[in-house]
Amino acid sequence: MAVPNIKTELPGPNARKYIEMSRQYEPNSMSDQVPAVWQSAKGVVVEDVDGNVFIDFTSGVLVTNIGHCHPKHVAAIQEQAAEVMNSYDFVNPWRAKLAKKLVEITAPNLNKAFILTTGAEATESAIKVARRYTGKYEIISFHGAFHGRTYMAMSVGGKQGVKRHFGPMVPGVLQAPFCYCYRCVYEQKYPECNFTCLRYLDHLLETQSTGSVGALITESYQGGAGSIIPPGDYMQRLKQWCEERGILFILDEVQSSFGRTGKMFAYEHWGIQPNLLCLGKGIGSGVPISALLGESRILDVLEPGSMSSTNGGNPLCSRAALTSIEIMEEENLVAKSEDLGNKMLARLNDMMKKYEMIGDVRSMGLVAGVEIVCDKASKQPDAVATRKIVQEAFKKGLIMIAPIGFHGNVIRIAPPLVISEELLMKALDIMEECVSELSE
Ligand SMILES: Cc1ncc(COP(=O)(O)O)c(C=O)c1O
């Protein structure tokens, strides 16, 4: 089968029918993506409802790390669907086995796993538990952060688009700038800055806190803000800053876990151990499941009935997640993500040297952000060109997520980890073609 293979105008006649139906019957609240109406997907190849074939640079939204519809994953789901799908809070073997597995593969201090359904549920739960354990209500979070769309998750978020017109937010959140070095709010340069942004945290405590800070929550790299990756030992210092002040360190790895960054969990890059760890997306590679890992001294403060969830830890999703982890291990997908990620970064860096409109490239494993600007000197974000690149790539057979970032000028690359080097390079060729055509 030729990949990609575009046979109709885009969107094609069937796609237009479903887009129209969606416009009529669904709210307009979802992100504005290219008009791809997905019919089926296998591995890294997506077919739309008109038979057009695309390379996938989205993994859903960094979800299907083992590839779409992996046969072993599908078989486990089918088998479990015929056994039992929901058992509420009654113990089921798959939930227990998944909790055990998650405890085994995460940092040694994390010895309990609470299985939930969505990423936002995991971050909400982390904050609830942190408040209960510490008896303190203030939470520190970062500008640019994205932790989900429920009220507390939104309140610790740091991007206006998610919160606009939904106020007031939940009180008790103190926010500080993240280490967005390409657009440093202090107009300083790393490493000469010696992390002014970290030193600001003490000022934040002194001026904004009532003395009741219980926890700090951060993504390992900021996804929605534009794949912003902490430089040097930022994360080690942040963790140490929390430790020295008795503040719990909650790491949101809903997006960055399960091999995405070239390690099973991104915290392994920095050799740190979070007190609470939020997992989602890639944990189930397509089924709705998330988890909150924690130290038992923290999670054991919860009494029976205080926190649970209708679909959390159901046998179907738990078994699917366990199988997905098994596939990652059998197929060495973490090492593959690191290896292909290095090749992808080298290629993107070459493109950055060649094209004035690529201002910055940030990547870890198989996730990257490419920042599109009017020119390198001004760094002025070019959201129009960014959108055009995503749209033109779609016409050539490459599906990418709509631009991200504070200014909507970052292209996000996140293929399933099973992508071959050949298809990865083919997809990057398509992207480069679009950048090149737009540069002329
Ligand atoms: C870092 C991070 N945290 C939390 C969430 C929320 O996950 P969900 O959409 O499953 O609620 C996301 C989703 O994009 C995320 O990237």
Side-chain angles (χ1 to χ4, degrees), residues 40-294:
S40 64
K42 295 266 175 315
V44 295
V45 176
V46 175
E47 191 168 331
D48 78 358
V49 286
D50 295 289
N52 297 301
V53 175
F54 302 85
I55 304 174
D56 178 26
F57 253 7
T58 71
S59 303
V61 57
L62 301 101
V63 171
T64 54
N65 288 5
I66 59 168
H68 295 280
C69 300
H70 190 291
K72 181 170 170 173
H73 200 220
V74 172
I77 293 167
Q78 284 173 335
E79 204 174 298
Q80 192 56 42
E83 290 261 336
V84 54
M85 289 195 258
N86 194 295
S87 63
Y88 180 44
D89 285 348
F90 299 96
V91 173
N92 74 74
W94 298 104
R95 189 181 79 204
K97 285 199 247 186
L98 177 62
K100 177 172 181 281
K101 182 71 182 175
L102 290 172
V103 165
E104 282 166 3
I105 62 174
T106 52
N109 65 317
L110 301 171
N111 37 30
K112 287 259 163 115
F114 185 23
I115 319 293
L116 298 154
T117 311
T118 68
E121 204 183 2
T123 53
E124 287 274 347
S125 302
I127 291 168
K128 281 170 74 174
V129 173
R131 282 181 167 177
R132 173 69 71 89
Y133 174 74
T134 60
K136 296 179 174 175
Y137 73 92
E138 286 171 338
I139 309 292
I140 297 175
S141 69
F142 289 97
H143 300 175
F146 183 76
H147 299 291
R149 293 176 185 274
T150 52
Y151 259 95
M152 190 67 213
M154 184 168 64
S155 301
V156 287
K159 271 186 81 204
Q160 199 197 22
V162 178
K163 305 182 184 191
R164 196 184 296 129
H165 307 313
F166 291 126
M169 295 292 110
V170 179
V173 176
L174 314 178
Q175 293 202 307
F178 196 60
C179 46
Y180 186 8
C181 300
Y182 184 65
R183 299 185 189 278
C184 175
V185 290
Y186 303 105
E187 299 189 350
Q188 296 192 5
K189 278 219 163 338
Y190 171 79
E192 296 84 56
C193 64
N194 194 23
F195 291 123
T196 303
C197 49
L198 277 181
R199 284 181 279 117
Y200 172 78
L201 291 175
D202 281 316
H203 179 70
L204 184 76
L205 281 191
E206 282 156 24
T207 59
Q208 304 297 312
S209 171
T210 63
S212 188
V213 174
L216 174 146
I217 183 166
T218 181
E219 290 159 271
S220 45
Y221 71 83
Q222 284 193 339
S227 291
I228 299 169
I229 296 168
D233 61 352
Y234 175 90
M235 273 294 173
Q236 291 94 319
R237 292 213 211 175
L238 181 61
K239 172 76 199 320
Q240 191 183 350
W241 184 87
C242 289
E243 251 169 48
E244 287 168 358
R245 287 155 187 79
I247 294 170
L248 292 183
F249 184 77
I250 305 172
L251 192 60
D252 177 354
E253 289 224 33
V254 166
Q255 178 170 140
S256 60
S257 47
F258 295 96
R260 179 52 61 189
T261 70
K263 301 273 186 205
M264 193 60 150
F265 303 100
Y267 64 74
E268 295 169 31
H269 289 283
W270 307 297
I272 56 170
Q273 299 187 355
N275 302 110
L276 291 162
L277 174 68
C278 305
L279 304 175
K281 294 188 186 277
I283 185 176
S285 275
V287 296
I289 183 164
S290 66
L292 172 63
L293 273 283

Side-chain angles (χ1 to χ4, degrees), residues 324-342:
S324 175
I325 296 168
E326 239 171 67
I327 292 166
M328 295 202 73
E329 290 174 343
E330 284 163 6
E331 299 187 8
N332 278 322
L333 293 184
V334 178
K336 191 165 174 215
S337 167
E338 185 186 13
D339 175 47
L340 280 186
N342 288 335

Side-chain angles (χ1 to χ4, degrees), residues 401-428:
I401 296 167
I404 53 169
F406 278 100
H407 311 286
N409 70 318
V410 179
I411 291 173
R412 177 190 260 174
I413 301 176
L417 310 184
V418 290
I419 195 167
S420 66
E421 186 172 344
E422 189 196 343
L423 263 197
L424 177 64
M425 291 305 150
K426 201 184 254 189
L428 290 171

